[in-house]
Short mmCIF file of all heavy atoms in Angstrom, two decimals:
data_model
loop_
_atom_site.label_atom_id
_atom_site.label_comp_id
_atom_site.label_asym_id
_atom_site.label_seq_id
_atom_site.Cartn_x
_atom_site.Cartn_y
_atom_site.Cartn_z
N GLN A 84 106.63 92.12 100.93
CA GLN A 84 106.23 92.15 102.30
C GLN A 84 106.84 91.04 103.11
O GLN A 84 107.22 90.03 102.60
CB GLN A 84 104.75 92.03 102.35
CG GLN A 84 103.93 93.19 101.72
CD GLN A 84 103.88 94.43 102.63
OE1 GLN A 84 104.30 94.39 103.77
NE2 GLN A 84 103.30 95.51 102.08
N PRO A 85 106.99 91.29 104.44
CA PRO A 85 107.41 90.10 105.30
C PRO A 85 106.50 88.91 105.17
O PRO A 85 105.29 89.13 105.11
CB PRO A 85 107.36 90.75 106.74
CG PRO A 85 107.46 92.22 106.49
CD PRO A 85 106.76 92.50 105.23
N ALA A 86 107.06 87.72 105.12
CA ALA A 86 106.25 86.53 104.86
C ALA A 86 106.09 85.76 106.24
O ALA A 86 106.98 85.86 107.12
CB ALA A 86 106.88 85.64 103.85
N ASN A 87 104.94 85.03 106.37
CA ASN A 87 104.75 84.18 107.55
C ASN A 87 105.91 83.18 107.66
O ASN A 87 106.39 82.69 106.64
CB ASN A 87 103.47 83.49 107.45
CG ASN A 87 102.26 84.38 107.51
OD1 ASN A 87 102.37 85.54 107.93
ND2 ASN A 87 101.11 83.96 106.99
N GLN A 88 106.32 82.83 108.88
CA GLN A 88 107.43 81.87 109.08
C GLN A 88 106.90 80.72 109.97
O GLN A 88 106.29 80.97 110.96
CB GLN A 88 108.62 82.59 109.73
CG GLN A 88 109.24 83.70 108.96
CD GLN A 88 109.87 83.22 107.71
OE1 GLN A 88 110.67 82.30 107.74
NE2 GLN A 88 109.55 83.80 106.54
N THR A 89 107.23 79.54 109.52
CA THR A 89 106.94 78.35 110.32
C THR A 89 108.30 77.65 110.57
O THR A 89 108.99 77.18 109.58
CB THR A 89 106.01 77.37 109.59
OG1 THR A 89 104.79 78.10 109.38
CG2 THR A 89 105.73 76.13 110.43
N VAL A 90 108.66 77.51 111.81
CA VAL A 90 109.91 76.92 112.23
C VAL A 90 109.69 76.00 113.42
O VAL A 90 108.63 75.92 113.97
CB VAL A 90 110.98 78.04 112.60
CG1 VAL A 90 111.30 78.88 111.39
CG2 VAL A 90 110.49 78.93 113.74
N CYS A 91 110.79 75.35 113.80
CA CYS A 91 110.73 74.40 114.91
C CYS A 91 111.29 75.00 116.15
O CYS A 91 112.16 75.93 116.06
CB CYS A 91 111.43 73.10 114.57
SG CYS A 91 110.68 72.21 113.10
N THR A 92 110.92 74.52 117.28
CA THR A 92 111.47 75.02 118.56
C THR A 92 113.01 74.98 118.51
O THR A 92 113.58 74.02 118.14
CB THR A 92 110.97 74.15 119.75
OG1 THR A 92 109.53 74.20 119.72
CG2 THR A 92 111.50 74.66 121.04
N GLY A 93 113.63 76.12 118.93
CA GLY A 93 115.09 76.17 118.96
C GLY A 93 115.70 76.70 117.67
O GLY A 93 116.83 76.91 117.67
N ALA A 94 114.93 76.78 116.63
CA ALA A 94 115.49 77.30 115.38
C ALA A 94 115.46 78.76 115.33
O ALA A 94 115.11 79.46 116.26
CB ALA A 94 114.62 76.70 114.21
N THR A 95 115.93 79.33 114.18
CA THR A 95 116.00 80.74 113.96
C THR A 95 114.93 81.18 112.97
O THR A 95 114.87 80.57 111.88
CB THR A 95 117.35 81.18 113.54
OG1 THR A 95 118.35 80.93 114.53
CG2 THR A 95 117.39 82.69 113.15
N ALA A 96 114.08 82.12 113.32
CA ALA A 96 113.10 82.66 112.35
C ALA A 96 113.60 84.03 111.84
O ALA A 96 114.10 84.86 112.64
CB ALA A 96 111.78 82.79 113.06
N THR A 97 113.43 84.27 110.53
CA THR A 97 113.87 85.52 109.93
C THR A 97 112.74 86.14 109.16
O THR A 97 112.16 85.47 108.23
CB THR A 97 115.14 85.32 109.05
OG1 THR A 97 116.20 84.76 109.83
CG2 THR A 97 115.61 86.67 108.42
N PHE A 98 112.39 87.41 109.39
CA PHE A 98 111.43 88.16 108.71
C PHE A 98 112.20 89.24 107.93
O PHE A 98 113.00 89.90 108.47
CB PHE A 98 110.39 88.80 109.55
CG PHE A 98 109.55 87.76 110.38
CD1 PHE A 98 109.92 87.27 111.59
CD2 PHE A 98 108.38 87.28 109.83
CE1 PHE A 98 109.11 86.36 112.31
CE2 PHE A 98 107.59 86.33 110.44
CZ PHE A 98 107.99 85.91 111.72
N SER A 99 111.83 89.40 106.66
CA SER A 99 112.56 90.44 105.84
C SER A 99 111.53 91.21 105.05
O SER A 99 110.46 90.82 104.70
CB SER A 99 113.54 89.65 104.90
OG SER A 99 114.51 89.01 105.60
N VAL A 100 112.02 92.45 104.69
CA VAL A 100 111.19 93.30 103.80
C VAL A 100 112.15 93.83 102.72
O VAL A 100 113.31 94.07 102.95
CB VAL A 100 110.59 94.48 104.63
CG1 VAL A 100 111.70 95.39 105.16
CG2 VAL A 100 109.58 95.29 103.74
N VAL A 101 111.59 93.97 101.55
CA VAL A 101 112.33 94.60 100.42
C VAL A 101 111.62 95.81 100.00
O VAL A 101 110.36 95.82 99.78
CB VAL A 101 112.40 93.57 99.21
CG1 VAL A 101 113.21 94.17 98.03
CG2 VAL A 101 113.09 92.33 99.68
N THR A 102 112.39 96.90 99.80
CA THR A 102 111.81 98.20 99.43
C THR A 102 112.57 98.89 98.35
O THR A 102 113.71 98.53 97.99
CB THR A 102 111.77 99.13 100.67
OG1 THR A 102 113.17 99.40 101.09
CG2 THR A 102 111.06 98.46 101.86
N THR A 103 111.92 99.88 97.79
CA THR A 103 112.68 100.91 97.00
C THR A 103 112.69 102.22 97.82
O THR A 103 111.91 102.38 98.71
CB THR A 103 111.97 101.10 95.61
OG1 THR A 103 110.72 101.56 95.84
CG2 THR A 103 112.02 99.85 94.78
N GLY A 104 113.58 103.12 97.42
CA GLY A 104 113.73 104.32 98.18
C GLY A 104 115.16 104.36 98.75
O GLY A 104 115.94 103.43 98.54
N ASN A 105 115.46 105.42 99.48
CA ASN A 105 116.77 105.55 100.00
C ASN A 105 116.72 106.29 101.38
O ASN A 105 115.69 106.85 101.79
CB ASN A 105 117.73 106.26 99.04
CG ASN A 105 117.26 107.61 98.60
OD1 ASN A 105 116.17 108.07 99.01
ND2 ASN A 105 117.95 108.27 97.76
N PHE A 106 117.92 106.27 102.05
CA PHE A 106 118.02 106.95 103.37
C PHE A 106 116.99 106.59 104.34
O PHE A 106 116.27 107.35 104.91
CB PHE A 106 118.04 108.45 103.15
CG PHE A 106 119.15 108.92 102.26
CD1 PHE A 106 118.80 109.35 100.94
CD2 PHE A 106 120.48 108.99 102.61
CE1 PHE A 106 119.77 109.81 100.06
CE2 PHE A 106 121.47 109.43 101.76
CZ PHE A 106 121.09 109.85 100.46
N GLN A 107 116.78 105.23 104.39
CA GLN A 107 115.67 104.69 105.19
C GLN A 107 116.04 104.31 106.58
O GLN A 107 117.23 104.02 106.85
CB GLN A 107 115.09 103.42 104.46
CG GLN A 107 114.60 103.68 103.05
CD GLN A 107 114.33 102.42 102.33
OE1 GLN A 107 114.69 101.30 102.80
NE2 GLN A 107 113.79 102.47 101.14
N THR A 108 115.13 104.42 107.51
CA THR A 108 115.29 103.89 108.82
C THR A 108 114.20 102.80 109.09
O THR A 108 113.09 102.95 108.53
CB THR A 108 115.20 104.96 109.96
OG1 THR A 108 113.87 105.57 109.84
CG2 THR A 108 116.24 105.98 109.76
N TYR A 109 114.57 101.83 109.86
CA TYR A 109 113.63 100.65 110.06
C TYR A 109 113.35 100.58 111.56
O TYR A 109 114.22 100.73 112.34
CB TYR A 109 114.20 99.37 109.57
CG TYR A 109 114.54 99.35 108.09
CD1 TYR A 109 115.74 99.86 107.63
CD2 TYR A 109 113.70 98.80 107.18
CE1 TYR A 109 116.10 99.79 106.26
CE2 TYR A 109 113.96 98.73 105.85
CZ TYR A 109 115.21 99.29 105.38
OH TYR A 109 115.51 99.21 104.07
N GLN A 110 112.10 100.21 111.89
CA GLN A 110 111.74 99.83 113.26
C GLN A 110 110.77 98.69 113.22
O GLN A 110 109.63 98.86 112.79
CB GLN A 110 111.11 101.04 113.99
CG GLN A 110 110.67 100.71 115.42
CD GLN A 110 111.82 100.21 116.28
OE1 GLN A 110 112.83 100.94 116.56
NE2 GLN A 110 111.79 98.96 116.70
N TRP A 111 111.23 97.53 113.66
CA TRP A 111 110.40 96.33 113.79
C TRP A 111 109.55 96.39 114.98
O TRP A 111 110.00 96.85 116.04
CB TRP A 111 111.22 95.06 113.67
CG TRP A 111 111.77 94.76 112.31
CD1 TRP A 111 112.89 95.24 111.84
CD2 TRP A 111 111.17 93.99 111.32
NE1 TRP A 111 113.12 94.75 110.55
CE2 TRP A 111 112.01 93.96 110.18
CE3 TRP A 111 109.94 93.33 111.20
CZ2 TRP A 111 111.69 93.27 109.01
CZ3 TRP A 111 109.65 92.61 110.04
CH2 TRP A 111 110.53 92.60 108.99
N GLN A 112 108.33 95.83 114.89
CA GLN A 112 107.40 95.86 116.02
C GLN A 112 106.83 94.38 116.18
O GLN A 112 106.84 93.63 115.27
CB GLN A 112 106.26 96.76 115.84
CG GLN A 112 106.69 98.26 115.76
CD GLN A 112 105.52 99.19 115.60
OE1 GLN A 112 104.55 98.92 114.83
NE2 GLN A 112 105.56 100.26 116.30
N ILE A 113 106.31 94.09 117.40
CA ILE A 113 105.74 92.83 117.69
C ILE A 113 104.34 93.04 118.20
O ILE A 113 104.07 93.98 118.94
CB ILE A 113 106.59 92.07 118.73
CG1 ILE A 113 105.95 90.67 119.03
CG2 ILE A 113 106.79 92.84 120.02
CD1 ILE A 113 106.82 89.81 119.94
N SER A 114 103.44 92.12 117.84
CA SER A 114 102.12 92.10 118.46
C SER A 114 101.82 90.71 119.05
O SER A 114 102.04 89.73 118.32
CB SER A 114 101.03 92.45 117.42
OG SER A 114 99.71 92.27 117.97
N THR A 115 101.45 90.64 120.24
CA THR A 115 101.11 89.37 120.89
C THR A 115 99.66 89.14 121.06
O THR A 115 99.25 88.14 121.71
CB THR A 115 101.84 89.27 122.26
OG1 THR A 115 101.38 90.36 123.06
CG2 THR A 115 103.37 89.37 122.07
N ASN A 116 98.81 90.05 120.48
CA ASN A 116 97.39 89.90 120.64
C ASN A 116 96.65 89.99 119.26
O ASN A 116 95.61 90.54 119.12
CB ASN A 116 96.88 90.96 121.56
CG ASN A 116 97.24 92.33 121.15
OD1 ASN A 116 97.75 92.59 120.03
ND2 ASN A 116 97.04 93.37 122.04
N GLY A 117 97.30 89.37 118.28
CA GLY A 117 96.66 89.24 116.99
C GLY A 117 96.66 90.53 116.13
O GLY A 117 95.87 90.64 115.21
N GLY A 118 97.51 91.46 116.50
CA GLY A 118 97.65 92.71 115.70
C GLY A 118 96.88 93.86 116.25
O GLY A 118 96.79 94.88 115.66
N THR A 119 96.31 93.66 117.51
CA THR A 119 95.52 94.75 118.05
C THR A 119 96.50 95.90 118.56
O THR A 119 96.19 97.08 118.29
CB THR A 119 94.69 94.26 119.29
OG1 THR A 119 93.81 93.27 118.83
CG2 THR A 119 93.91 95.34 119.91
N THR A 120 97.47 95.59 119.23
CA THR A 120 98.52 96.56 119.64
C THR A 120 99.87 96.09 119.24
O THR A 120 100.10 94.86 119.06
CB THR A 120 98.48 96.78 121.13
OG1 THR A 120 98.71 95.54 121.79
CG2 THR A 120 97.15 97.29 121.60
N TRP A 121 100.76 97.12 118.99
CA TRP A 121 102.11 96.80 118.51
C TRP A 121 103.14 97.50 119.49
O TRP A 121 102.86 98.61 119.97
CB TRP A 121 102.29 97.27 117.12
CG TRP A 121 101.48 96.51 116.07
CD1 TRP A 121 100.18 96.82 115.74
CD2 TRP A 121 101.80 95.41 115.40
NE1 TRP A 121 99.71 95.92 114.86
CE2 TRP A 121 100.73 95.02 114.58
CE3 TRP A 121 103.02 94.63 115.29
CZ2 TRP A 121 100.67 93.91 113.77
CZ3 TRP A 121 103.04 93.54 114.47
CH2 TRP A 121 101.87 93.18 113.66
N THR A 122 104.25 96.82 119.60
CA THR A 122 105.33 97.40 120.47
C THR A 122 106.67 97.35 119.72
O THR A 122 106.98 96.31 119.11
CB THR A 122 105.53 96.53 121.83
OG1 THR A 122 104.25 96.55 122.45
CG2 THR A 122 106.50 97.15 122.72
N ASN A 123 107.47 98.40 119.85
CA ASN A 123 108.73 98.42 119.21
C ASN A 123 109.64 97.35 119.76
O ASN A 123 109.64 97.10 120.99
CB ASN A 123 109.41 99.82 119.33
CG ASN A 123 108.73 100.84 118.54
OD1 ASN A 123 107.97 100.60 117.59
ND2 ASN A 123 109.05 102.08 118.78
N ILE A 124 110.48 96.75 118.95
CA ILE A 124 111.51 95.80 119.43
C ILE A 124 112.84 96.54 119.48
O ILE A 124 113.28 97.08 118.47
CB ILE A 124 111.61 94.56 118.43
CG1 ILE A 124 110.21 93.89 118.31
CG2 ILE A 124 112.62 93.59 118.92
CD1 ILE A 124 110.09 92.84 117.27
N ALA A 125 113.48 96.45 120.62
CA ALA A 125 114.70 97.19 120.76
C ALA A 125 115.78 96.66 119.81
O ALA A 125 115.90 95.44 119.60
CB ALA A 125 115.20 97.03 122.25
N ASN A 126 116.45 97.60 119.28
CA ASN A 126 117.65 97.30 118.34
C ASN A 126 117.26 96.51 117.11
O ASN A 126 118.15 95.92 116.50
CB ASN A 126 118.73 96.60 119.11
CG ASN A 126 119.23 97.36 120.32
OD1 ASN A 126 119.46 98.49 120.25
ND2 ASN A 126 119.42 96.67 121.45
N ALA A 127 116.00 96.59 116.76
CA ALA A 127 115.54 95.84 115.51
C ALA A 127 115.36 96.90 114.43
O ALA A 127 114.27 97.39 114.16
CB ALA A 127 114.28 95.06 115.80
N ASN A 128 116.50 97.28 113.83
CA ASN A 128 116.50 98.48 112.98
C ASN A 128 117.10 98.16 111.59
O ASN A 128 117.71 99.08 110.98
CB ASN A 128 117.31 99.61 113.64
CG ASN A 128 116.76 99.90 115.03
OD1 ASN A 128 117.50 99.80 115.99
ND2 ASN A 128 115.48 100.31 115.14
N GLY A 129 116.94 96.96 111.11
CA GLY A 129 117.41 96.61 109.77
C GLY A 129 116.31 96.14 108.92
O GLY A 129 115.12 96.07 109.31
N SER A 130 116.67 95.78 107.65
CA SER A 130 115.65 95.32 106.75
C SER A 130 115.19 93.90 107.05
O SER A 130 114.19 93.46 106.55
CB SER A 130 116.19 95.36 105.30
OG SER A 130 117.31 94.55 105.15
#
């Protein structure tokens, strides 16, 4: 599963997922209200 990230201002944060299966498509989402609602992130379509 994606792990929590703690970084400093100006740094790069990376979230990753590892799966089994094939012919997969990915769509990352963001929640700014503690997970109540989620919104697709444009062009965020990798693992």
Side-chain angles (χ1 to χ4, degrees):
Q84 295 281 354
N87 296 340
Q88 298 293 310
T89 300
V90 296
C91 299
T92 302
T95 297
T97 301
F98 296 91
S99 298
V100 66
V101 179
T102 65
T103 59
N105 55 0
F106 304 103
Q107 301 167 352
T108 60
Y109 300 85
Q110 178 58 65
W111 286 88
Q112 296 182 320
I113 182 175
S114 174
T115 58
N116 54 11
T119 302
T120 58
W121 295 87
T122 304
N123 288 346
I124 302 173
N126 302 316
N128 307 117
S130 59

